[in-house]
Amino acid sequence: MMKHPHSPDLYERETADGGFSKGWGMHFVPRADCFFDAHCHYHEEYFPGGDISEALESKVTEMEELDIRHALILFKVYDSDGWQPEAGNIGPFFHIDEVIKHKAYFESQDRFLWAPYFRYRDPNLGILQKRVEAGASCVKLHNAHIITDGADPGVWLTEEWDIVFQEIAKAGLPVLWHVTQRRTACKYRKMGAESYWKDGMKKGITYSNQELLDVFLQVVEKYPTIKFVGAHQLHIGWEKLGALFDRYDNLYTDTSTGCFLNPDDDFYEEDKAFLQDFFIRYADRILFATDIHYEKSLKRDMKYHFENRGHMRFLNKLNLPEDVLQKIAYQNAEKIYMR
């Protein structure tokens, strides 16, 4: 069992001022200096009537309450004037030029970073270049439409996408990738079963999550200079994820969705011991994240606080050593996403 870590200033008091305050605050545990939410979504029902920077700025006070120093905001964007969003998708969708208009805003501050979705149908170097020039911090890929369209997961291994991945590597951009999707419901998080899959099965798909993961890992192996962040712990168990970390030096994950504790909940002792060991061993490979929506808010956003505090509670309740806590809370994401 790991020795219980305490706030580093507790140990300083053993000698500071001749040890005068030794033992004061003996129960204080390590506390994150701040948080970098490495997986968020921009969402505005009333767009195009709204303004991106205005909507983001409306969240600053709440971010400061929660010590969130940075947030990576994911935008759904398109490039063709004739393009229409897929049925069943939650908006808003932005023409890439709308985001480019806010380039000066993103460059003027470091609280909000941005990244665009890149659909599997769009292996387009022109689109990529526009996003690089607009200051994107990474590229977001999502296999949802692979599943719902009944498409072949091997599309990511085509020559067209090979060219795009080469350019992503050349630009030094990381890739945040939603690879798999659990088939079961998740009662603890109030999430239903067969998300995406029920639509894909209507299209006759026969592959499983394993095939989606296998293709992803081929890409990870083929482009070792690209840092790949698998969203939602790749929807696999920690032992399986640890084996992948041992095999691929350029693979990371975020804590979104799965690393969550509801109010008043705590870990079972054996679960906590296992997770402590894992998070310490792979401290450089895990990024704090929530998968939450950012939208204009004129009042306190209760869901925003609930989601953030649940993910923070998970991390804090692990009672990790000071250096490990800071890496996961914000330092790893700063190294990967801040250019």
Side-chain angles (χ1 to χ4, degrees):
M1 178 69 69
M2 179 188 69
K3 180 181 178 182
H4 297 302
H6 290 84
S7 180
D9 52 83
L10 176 66
Y11 305 113
E12 293 177 13
R13 284 190 284 278
E14 294 182 0
T15 56
D17 193 20
F20 177 82
S21 297
K22 180 180 179 180
W24 185 86
M26 63 175 291
H27 66 290
F28 293 163
V29 297
R31 183 180 185 276
D33 297 335
C34 64
F35 291 90
F36 187 138
D37 193 338
H39 188 152
C40 310
H41 296 270
Y42 187 82
H43 181 264
E44 282 292 346
E45 293 284 3
Y46 60 81
F47 188 81
D51 178 86
I52 292 173
S53 59
E54 179 185 3
L56 294 178
E57 287 293 320
S58 75
K59 307 298 291 187
V60 168
T61 298
E62 292 179 278
M63 293 175 71
E64 290 177 343
E65 288 179 10
L66 294 166
D67 291 327
I68 300 173
R69 182 181 296 173
H70 309 290
L72 176 65
I73 312 296
L74 306 173
F75 289 87
K76 294 181 178 180
V77 297
Y78 63 94
D79 194 45
S80 170
D81 290 333
W83 179 82
Q84 294 294 323
E86 294 85 349
N89 271 279
I90 298 175
F93 286 79
F94 296 86
H95 191 284
I96 185 63
D97 291 342
E98 284 293 331
V99 183
I100 291 175
K101 288 179 184 178
H102 291 78
K103 179 180 180 181
Y105 168 73
F106 284 110
E107 290 179 341
S108 69
Q109 50 77 57
D110 67 358
R111 184 181 297 275
F112 298 106
L113 293 78
W114 83 278
Y117 274 78
F118 220 122
R119 302 179 307 157
Y120 80 90
R121 307 187 196 96
D122 296 327
N124 186 305
L125 288 178
I127 296 176
L128 175 63
Q129 188 57 42
K130 273 190 174 184
R131 297 172 189 191
V132 172
E133 292 174 357
S137 293
C138 78
V139 170
K140 169 68 186 292
L141 301 179
H142 203 309
N143 277 353
H145 291 129
I146 295 281
I147 299 172
T148 58
D149 288 353
D152 181 357
V155 66
W156 303 113
L157 304 175
T158 62
E159 182 178 352
E160 291 81 4
W161 272 104
D162 180 60
I163 294 172
V164 173
F165 282 120
Q166 289 182 40
E167 287 300 309
I168 291 172
K170 184 177 179 181
L173 288 176
V175 173
L176 172 57
W177 197 331
H178 185 131
V179 179
T180 59
Q181 183 67 28
R182 55 179 171 71
R183 303 296 297 268
T184 62
C186 178
K187 184 178 180 180
Y188 191 81
R189 299 295 338 266
K190 297 183 179 180
M191 296 174 175
E194 303 290 6
S195 297
Y196 312 140
W197 290 103
K198 56 181 176 288
D199 296 319
M201 288 186 289
K202 294 176 183 177
K203 304 286 180 64
I205 62 173
T206 58
Y207 53 80
S208 68
N209 273 312
Q210 189 61 54
E211 282 76 15
L212 295 171
L213 181 62
D214 289 343
V215 169
F216 167 71
L217 294 175
Q218 287 183 65
V219 177
V220 170
E221 186 168 8
K222 188 172 184 179
Y223 306 98
T225 63
I226 299 177
K227 292 181 171 62
F228 290 92
V229 181
H232 317 311
Q233 307 92 63
L234 292 170
H235 291 111
I236 59 178
W238 296 109
E239 290 181 345
K240 193 172 184 178
L241 183 59
L244 295 182
F245 283 157
D246 292 340
R247 182 175 177 183
Y248 303 103
D249 293 336
N250 57 330
L251 178 62
Y252 302 79
T253 194
D254 65 40
T255 66
S256 62
T257 307
C259 297
F260 187 94
L261 275 178
N262 281 316
D264 300 322
D265 283 355
D266 205 338
F267 298 104
Y268 291 123
E269 291 184 7
E270 59 269 29
D271 293 343
K272 181 174 181 177
F274 176 89
L275 288 166
Q276 280 179 334
D277 180 69
F278 187 93
F279 275 58
I280 291 170
R281 181 176 180 182
Y282 298 108
D284 296 319
R285 314 291 281 280
I286 305 170
L287 286 65
F288 175 84
T290 66
D291 196 28
I292 202 169
H293 284 168
Y294 272 68
E295 55 193 338
K296 186 172 182 179
S297 178
L298 300 179
K299 60 183 180 180
R300 189 175 179 85
D301 187 338
M302 299 307 294
K303 183 175 182 180
Y304 179 83
H305 282 261
F306 177 80
E307 288 294 324
N308 274 296
R309 292 191 185 282
H311 286 87
M312 292 172 181
R313 187 180 300 111
F314 175 97
L315 193 57
N316 288 329
K317 287 279 190 176
L318 285 180
N319 297 128
L320 297 169
E322 171 81 10
D323 60 334
V324 173
L325 177 61
Q326 307 303 347
K327 285 181 179 181
I328 296 170
Y330 73 100
Q331 291 174 355
N332 291 340
E334 285 187 343
K335 290 179 180 179
I336 292 174
Y337 291 128
M338 299 191 75
R339 303 172 64 191

